[in-house]
């Protein structure tokens, strides 16, 4: 009995283990976010080509159905097959609703791009998103089966919520869209906390992608603080590549600035109020007010320079608007007061253009100085090494812009402005002179370098004595530059006394390159003479030109008659049978 019971127990244990193994084998895992992200990056979405991605989803569906023998159409008719829990015997069956959803979503995003020029495609876009939402619901209900693990169920729920949120976003149902986006965001946050470190990055990126959509929905619901968050996100690059916010955010910012531009009727500059009538100029002046915040919130140097580039382009258009208006006023013969206000407005816009150009060049100089310091420290691998001569041209542009500021119309009698500009110009001249001295010092021309260091010190003293210089940052830079000049100047002065200038260095280099035959009267230690290829003489020697052999022309040769010398020529008598026959024939004389 004991043996029998043991055998039955063992059999029961084996059957339980087998059933557990079968259940484990039937439990499917589908990493939805990883699958769709990898497919999107490899098949067109890296470059925003949604049509290519949609075609890939169709081909993928066809291959999956064919491999599973789950084809719905034949040559003669179409017979739809519905996926159920009983049909789910392979994890590849879950790919069918997933790829169908992605195909519908990709088609919707393609239509969204085309709807910019063809507004009627907006209706087709919403229809595709409705279909994608329905297919995502089918995927979610199919993943609720006991054959799928907990991770697959959560991923299906988050994916379906994101698709539904996208649909309500396009329908401008902001409350529902925000609810679905938050559901998706919460699930992805929980998944990122439960998974390994290698898989966390993808889910965290998804969470960050959903934040701009949620804030945009909140703004449309009535949260006025959301617009500032959206501006920060756009400047930091977090909304780059976002499908739903590609045009909506720029349109929203433009609308906000248009509302603010209505109230901007005049500006004050140099204790004088300037009326602003044109709407384009008002929008530009609002951009100028926001530009400083945009520069501070920019992620890197390139983003900051991009802000200045856009601002300078807008400034160019605004100045052209003022010029056109001045021509119209001159043609109509308006009063001088109107023309004077337009001239002063033009001077103000020109001042903005010059000052922003100076700020942009200062950013560029900062980046060059970073590369200069890194190259001196030996950590400049992979980067372009900055040389002192690279910093001269940006400072020259800054000085030129400052000189143009002093020549603006309407500022001839503004002594404070002229003194401030002159003090700043002297400060930047000192920087330019310092880097020119550095160029001469690197070339070994110490006398010129010492003179330029002294000139830079003179500029610094004049600039610091000027009470109009109030820029604390520039004052601090001048004090640091004074310390650098003092050390470099005495170094160059000592090297010039020792005679360690460029001429001697170049002479040594020339001597080392000369052959031994060419410098027999000079003593130079040449280690190559002890090597296997000593520099003694050139072999074969080079061809050298020599004078030609002189030519003599005998002009009297044709006029001289030489005497006959026949009697002196010895005649030989012939012998032999040949001569005998020749004589018999009559050749004897």
């Amino acid at each position: 009995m004991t043996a029998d019971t043991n055998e039955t127990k063992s059999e029961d244990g084996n059957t339980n283990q087998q059933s557990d193994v079968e259940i484990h084998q039937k439990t499917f895992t589908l990493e939805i976010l990883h699958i769709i992200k990898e497919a999107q990056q490899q098949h067109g979405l890296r470059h925003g080509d949604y049509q290519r991605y949609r075609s890939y989803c169709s081909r993928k569906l066809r291959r999956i159905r064919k491999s599973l023998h789950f084809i719905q159409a034949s040559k003669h008719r179409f017979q739809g097959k519905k996926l159920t829990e009983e049909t789910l015997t392979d994890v590849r069956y879950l790919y069918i609703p997933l790829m169908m959803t992605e195909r519908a979503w990709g088609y919707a995003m393609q239509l969204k791009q085309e709807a910019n020029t063809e507004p009627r495609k907006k209706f087709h876009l919403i229809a595709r998103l409705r279909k994608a939402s329905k297919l995502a619901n089918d995927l979610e209900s199919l993943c609720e089966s006991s054959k799928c693990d907990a991770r697959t169920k959560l991923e299906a729920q988050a994916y379906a919520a994101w698709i539904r949120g996208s649909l309500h976003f396009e329908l401008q149902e902001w409350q529902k869209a925000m609810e679905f986006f938050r559901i998706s965001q919460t699930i992805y946050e929980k998944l990122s906390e439960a998974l390994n470190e290698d898989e966390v990055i993808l889910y965290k990126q998804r969470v960050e992608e959903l934040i701009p959509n949620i804030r945009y929905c909140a703004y449309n619901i009535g949260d006025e603080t959301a617009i500032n968050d959206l501006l920060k996100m756009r400047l930091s690059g977090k909304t780059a590549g976002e499908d739903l916010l590609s045009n909506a955010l720029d349109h929203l910012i433009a609308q906000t600035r248009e509302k603010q531009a209505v109230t901007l009727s005049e500006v004050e500059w140099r204790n004088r109020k300037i009326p602003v009538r044109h709407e384009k100029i008002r929008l530009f002046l609002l951009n100028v007010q926001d530009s400083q915040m945009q520069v501070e919130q920019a992620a890197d140097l390139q983003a900051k320079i991009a802000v200045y580039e856009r601002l300078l382009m807008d400034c160019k258009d605004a100045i052209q608007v003022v010029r056109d208006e001045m021509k119209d006023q001159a043609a109509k013969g308006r009063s001088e007061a109107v023309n004077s206000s337009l001239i002063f407005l033009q001077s103000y816009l020109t001042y903005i253009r010059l000052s922003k150009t100076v700020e942009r060049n200062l950013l560029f100089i900062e980046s060059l100085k970073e590369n200069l310091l890194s190259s001196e420290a030996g950590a400049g691998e992979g980067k372009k090494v900055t040389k002192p001569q690279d910093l001269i041209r940006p400072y020259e542009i800054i000085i030129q812009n400052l000189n143009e500021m002093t020549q603006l119309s309407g500022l001839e009698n503004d002594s404070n402005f002229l003194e401030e500009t002159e003090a700043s110009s002297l400060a930047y001249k000192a920087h330019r002179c310092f880097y020119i001295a550095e160029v001469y010092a690197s070339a070994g021309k110490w006398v010129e370098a010492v003179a330029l260091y002294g000139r830079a010190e003179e500029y610094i003293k004049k600039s610091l004595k000027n009470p109009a210089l109030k820029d604390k940052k520039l004052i601090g830079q001048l004090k640091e530059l004074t310390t650098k000049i003092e050390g470099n100047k005495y170094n160059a002065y000592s090297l010039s006394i020792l005679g360690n200038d460029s001429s001697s260095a170049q002479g040594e280099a020339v001597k080392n390159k000369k052959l031994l035959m060419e410098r027999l009267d000079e003593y130079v230690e040449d280690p190559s003479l002890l090597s296997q290829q000593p520099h003694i003489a050139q072999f074969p020697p080079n061809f050298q030109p020599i004078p030609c052999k002189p030519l003599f022309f005998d002009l009297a040769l044709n006029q001289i008659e030489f005497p006959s010398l026949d009697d002196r020529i010895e005649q030989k008598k012939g012998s032999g049978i040949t001569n005998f026959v020749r004589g018999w024939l009559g050749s004897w004389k």
Side-chain angles (χ1 to χ4, degrees), residues 53-72 83 92-104 131 135:
Y53 180 62
R54 181 168 64 93
S55 301
Y56 160 75
C57 292
S58 299
R59 295 193 304 271
K60 181 76 172 176
L61 269 172
R62 191 181 302 112
R63 289 195 298 268
I64 293 171
R65 289 183 181 276
K66 189 174 181 180
S67 63
L68 292 173
H69 303 288
F70 199 71
I71 299 174
Q72 299 184 118
L83 282 171
R92 288 177 292 176
Y93 282 103
L94 295 175
Y95 278 81
I96 294 175
L98 178 60
M99 287 294 108
M100 291 177 69
T101 307
E102 282 293 293
R103 180 174 62 178
K131 184 174 182 180
L135 293 169

Side-chain angles (χ1 to χ4, degrees), residues 261 263-268 273-277 282 285 289:
T263 60
L264 185 64
S265 59
E266 62 181 11
V267 292
E268 186 176 354
K273 292 184 178 181
I274 311 171
V276 181
R277 299 181 181 88
R282 292 176 182 174
L285 294 176
Q289 294 176 6

Side-chain angles (χ1 to χ4, degrees), residues 27-30 143-157 187 191:
T27 302
F28 303 127
T29 301
L30 186 68
C143 290
E144 291 295 330
S145 170
S146 59
K147 296 180 181 180
C148 299
D149 60 358
R151 177 179 177 179
T152 304
K153 294 176 183 178
L154 289 173
E155 290 224 24
Q157 291 173 7
I187 294 173
L191 284 171

Side-chain angles (χ1 to χ4, degrees), residues 424-446:
S424 300
S425 180
L426 289 173
Y428 293 121
K429 282 181 180 179
H431 284 85
R432 182 189 62 178
C433 197
F434 169 76
Y435 286 108
I436 295 175
E438 289 288 297
V439 172
Y440 278 102
S442 62
K445 298 181 179 180
W446 308 114

Side-chain angles (χ1 to χ4, degrees), residues 266-275 336-345 347-348 409-412 414:
E266 62 181 11
V267 292
E268 186 176 354
W269 181 57
R270 307 306 302 178
N271 298 325
R272 179 175 174 180
K273 292 184 178 181
I274 311 171
E336 295 182 359
V338 176
N339 291 329
S340 63
S341 63
L342 288 175
I343 292 172
F344 200 69
L345 178 60
S347 299
Y348 176 52
S409 301
L411 300 177
E412 298 85 357
D414 195 342

